[in-house]
Amino acid sequence: MNKLGAKIAISVSAVILSLLVCLLLVSHFFLRPYYLHQTKQRLLQISQELADTSTENLPRKIESLNQQSDVAIVAVPRSQSLDALNEYASHLLARQGVSLNRFWITAEVISQLDSRHSVNKIYDQKKQKSSFYVRYITKGNDIILIGIPLAHMNEIIQMINQFNGLLFTLALVIALIWVWAFSRRISKPLDQLKRAAQEIADLKFQQVAIQTNDEIEELAHSINQMSQKLQQAHQELTQKNQDLKRLTADVTHELKTPLALIQAYSMGIKDDLDDGTYLDTIVSQAERMSSLIDQLLSYAKLEQDPLHLTLCHPVALWESCLAQHRVIFETEKITCRYAEPSQPDQWQIRADPEKLKMVFHNLLRNATKYTDNGQIKIHWSAGEQHLFLHIANGLAQETKHLNHIWKPFFVLDEARDKGRSGTGLGLAVVKTILERHGYSYNVEQHGGWITFTIGMTLVPLTDQN
């Protein structure tokens, strides 16, 4: 058992033990007074019934109470002498089976009755190991004696305490066993949670299976969720670190070539080898470096730039971007087959129009730059909640690592061979903008075509006002 289980077991055991000791002490010191109080209340109730009974009905009432209860009730006339009064009272009690060896109505009792109308006395019978509790009341010219025998309380209380002691000892043993089992039941899942937390701290993202139907199970569920989210965040952070290293390497590679050319042509000018083209080469390479840096800054700003979301028609935005590329299609002799949707105005999305235009322009430039067969195919499709734009261009050679195409500076090998490679930031920009909008993106290649698909969330007609 762990420390928490031991604390629970000791605390609960101490409470139970204290409770049992208190019960024993209460039984020892307060059982006799309580018993006498209850007996007194009973005699008081009977005396009240007799006091409310008329003198004519008193004998029948006394006889009825004697038969119905275990009390002894006798009525003796006050006109007799004290000895005759006691002899007559003892005779009547003996007739009811009450034999007393220590009983006497004293002059003091008679005097108290004259002043208070009721007197309580206990007659200890010593060797009979009992007592006789008596309440005297007056009714007309009679003294009514209401008595009840009491067992010897000291011995009974001692016997009860002994029995309670055995009973409480057994109860304490059972309670300790139960407390140990209960503490173990609580501490065992907490041990599992402790080990799980330690493993999570060691980047071993484990799950715990605890079913207790209480707050511990809810805590285990929360820890499982935390473990899952931390694992996901750790994987994302690891991936971002890898992407950052690759990005640093790619930027270094992209800047190394123009820097090397600038250095080589600068040395040529220094050695008087310039044929009139060296300065132009240096300027062009410097412009290439400046353009790359500008693109990197723009790409970095996309993560921080706020989105200005508004309701817009994506088809209209797309067709305005497509119109700007018509001249490039004619210059590059590229055939663009665009299937116009029948009712484009019924589609609305919530987006940043300027950022969405950047997506469309980059997708068009990418398709224009990398088509093999001089053809581009574009069409729309829609579901109940999403609108999809499909852009396909010819690409004969099968591309390896197609899922890396969205990463910065990733350029197809065949594009490098043809001298058409750019910085490889276009599709990375597309990915960043779409993710910030919560839109989907996908790329597939089959049958000599590579198809890019972006999915936008439609705004229901009821929310467009």
Side-chain angles (χ1 to χ4, degrees):
M1 185 182 298
N2 59 19
K3 294 180 181 178
L4 178 61
K7 286 183 179 180
I8 294 174
I10 293 173
S11 300
V12 176
S13 299
V15 171
I16 294 174
L17 181 60
S18 301
L19 180 61
L20 294 180
V21 171
C22 289
L23 289 176
L24 286 173
L25 292 176
V26 168
S27 175
H28 180 76
F29 290 105
F30 296 100
L31 184 57
R32 177 183 174 84
Y34 177 76
Y35 181 57
L36 292 177
H37 173 75
Q38 291 297 102
T39 303
K40 182 179 178 180
Q41 291 299 113
R42 185 179 178 190
L43 295 180
L44 179 61
Q45 180 182 0
I46 294 175
S47 66
Q48 188 63 46
E49 292 183 19
L50 293 174
D52 295 338
T53 304
S54 62
T55 306
E56 295 79 10
N57 296 327
L58 186 60
R60 288 195 298 271
K61 183 65 174 178
I62 291 175
E63 184 180 359
S64 174
L65 289 173
N66 281 327
Q67 292 176 354
Q68 294 177 3
S69 61
D70 58 350
V71 297
I73 306 173
V74 296
V76 294
R78 294 186 59 175
S79 57
Q80 307 177 70
S81 65
L82 199 58
D83 291 338
L85 183 67
N86 280 288
E87 185 178 351
Y88 185 52
S90 297
H91 172 71
L92 292 178
L93 289 172
R95 288 179 59 182
Q96 295 193 37
V98 180
S99 178
L100 303 173
N101 58 9
R102 296 175 66 86
F103 172 76
W104 193 258
I105 302 175
T106 63
E108 182 184 1
V109 171
I110 301 297
S111 175
Q112 291 176 349
L113 281 173
D114 290 338
S115 61
R116 296 187 304 188
H117 304 293
S118 66
V119 176
N120 294 327
K121 287 189 72 67
I122 298 177
Y123 297 95
D124 190 357
Q125 301 303 299
K126 298 295 181 180
K127 291 184 178 181
Q128 292 183 4
K129 295 185 177 180
S130 66
S131 300
F132 193 63
Y133 198 136
V134 178
R135 181 177 178 83
Y136 296 101
I137 64 172
T138 58
K139 181 74 173 178
N141 293 323
D142 293 336
I143 296 176
I144 300 177
L145 182 153
I146 310 166
I148 184 169
L150 302 177
H152 203 280
M153 290 299 298
N154 292 332
E155 293 186 1
I156 292 178
I157 290 174
Q158 184 178 2
M159 187 182 301
I160 291 175
N161 286 339
Q162 289 176 353
F163 176 78
N164 285 341
L166 294 175
L167 183 63
F168 290 164
T169 301
L170 178 62
L172 180 61
V173 172
I174 295 175
L176 290 176
I177 295 174
W178 178 83
V179 167
W180 180 85
F182 179 73
S183 302
R184 182 172 177 80
R185 181 178 177 272
I186 292 178
S187 61
K188 186 176 180 181
L190 291 178
D191 277 337
Q192 291 181 260
L193 294 178
K194 175 185 175 182
R195 289 194 296 270
Q198 290 174 342
E199 290 179 351
I200 292 174
D202 295 333
L203 301 181
K204 299 176 183 178
F205 303 100
Q206 302 293 327
Q207 302 283 312
V208 290
I210 295 177
Q211 294 182 346
T212 56
N213 297 321
D214 54 21
E215 287 77 5
I216 295 180
E217 182 177 345
E218 294 176 2
L219 176 61
H221 179 67
S222 300
I223 288 180
N224 287 340
Q225 286 185 325
M226 179 186 69
S227 176
Q228 184 177 1
K229 291 181 179 180
L230 285 176
Q231 183 178 17
Q232 182 179 357
H234 181 260
Q235 291 174 348
E236 291 177 355
L237 182 60
T238 301
Q239 184 61 45
K240 286 184 177 180
N241 287 336
Q242 293 176 353
D243 291 342
L244 180 60
K245 291 178 180 178
R246 187 183 56 79
L247 178 62
T248 304
D250 289 340
V251 170
T252 303
H253 175 76
E254 291 293 332
L255 293 176
K256 185 176 181 180
T257 300
L259 281 173
L261 290 173
I262 290 174
Q263 183 180 16
Y265 279 87
S266 299
M267 293 298 295
I269 295 175
K270 184 178 180 181
D271 295 336
D272 295 328
L273 299 176
D274 185 8
D275 59 358
T277 63
Y278 281 27
L279 286 177
D280 292 336
T281 302
I282 292 174
V283 170
S284 66
Q285 294 302 317
E287 290 176 348
R288 179 183 173 187
M289 290 173 56
S290 177
S291 175
L292 175 61
I293 292 172
D294 289 341
Q295 291 184 56
L296 285 171
L297 291 174
S298 298
Y299 175 67
K301 282 185 61 179
L302 286 176
E303 294 286 349
Q304 285 80 32
D305 279 351
L307 293 177
H308 302 287
L309 300 178
T310 182
L311 282 177
C312 56
H313 295 277
V315 177
L317 288 176
W318 165 257
E319 290 180 349
S320 67
C321 295
L322 184 62
Q324 297 175 25
H325 281 259
R326 294 292 184 185
V327 176
I328 300 176
F329 294 155
E330 293 176 0
T331 303
E332 299 290 336
K333 296 181 180 181
I334 295 174
T335 302
C336 180
R337 290 182 288 174
Y338 173 51
E340 297 184 8
S342 57
Q343 295 178 331
D345 293 338
Q346 67 179 346
W347 295 332
Q348 275 194 316
I349 62 172
R350 194 175 301 277
D352 185 327
E354 295 304 319
K355 296 291 193 301
L356 196 58
K357 285 182 180 179
M358 291 177 63
V359 170
F360 292 158
H361 280 301
N362 283 348
L363 288 174
L364 284 169
R365 280 195 292 267
N366 183 78
T368 302
K369 184 179 295 185
Y370 298 115
T371 180
D372 280 345
N373 55 7
Q375 296 186 39
I376 299 175
K377 297 188 295 185
I378 306 167
H379 72 279
W380 296 86
S381 65
E384 293 183 0
Q385 299 179 348
H386 296 89
L387 176 66
F388 298 95
L389 173 63
H390 309 272
I391 305 175
N393 60 271
L395 192 64
Q397 186 173 347
E398 192 71 22
T399 303
K400 297 179 180 179
H401 308 297
L402 191 62
N403 57 323
H404 293 169
I405 202 168
W406 304 101
K407 294 181 179 181
F409 296 101
F410 180 84
V411 179
L412 300 180
D413 292 336
E414 55 270 25
R416 295 183 188 274
D417 295 338
K418 295 179 180 179
R420 297 180 298 182
S421 72
T423 59
L425 289 174
L427 292 180
V429 170
V430 170
K431 171 180 176 290
T432 301
I433 294 176
L434 292 178
E435 285 182 346
R436 292 196 64 194
H437 279 78
Y439 293 164
S440 63
Y441 52 91
N442 186 41
V443 60
E444 296 178 345
Q445 184 180 12
H446 54 83
W449 293 84
I450 185 169
T451 304
F452 292 86
T453 302
I454 62 172
M456 296 161 278
T457 304
L458 288 170
V459 177
L461 294 175
T462 55
D463 297 341
Q464 293 181 9
N465 296 327

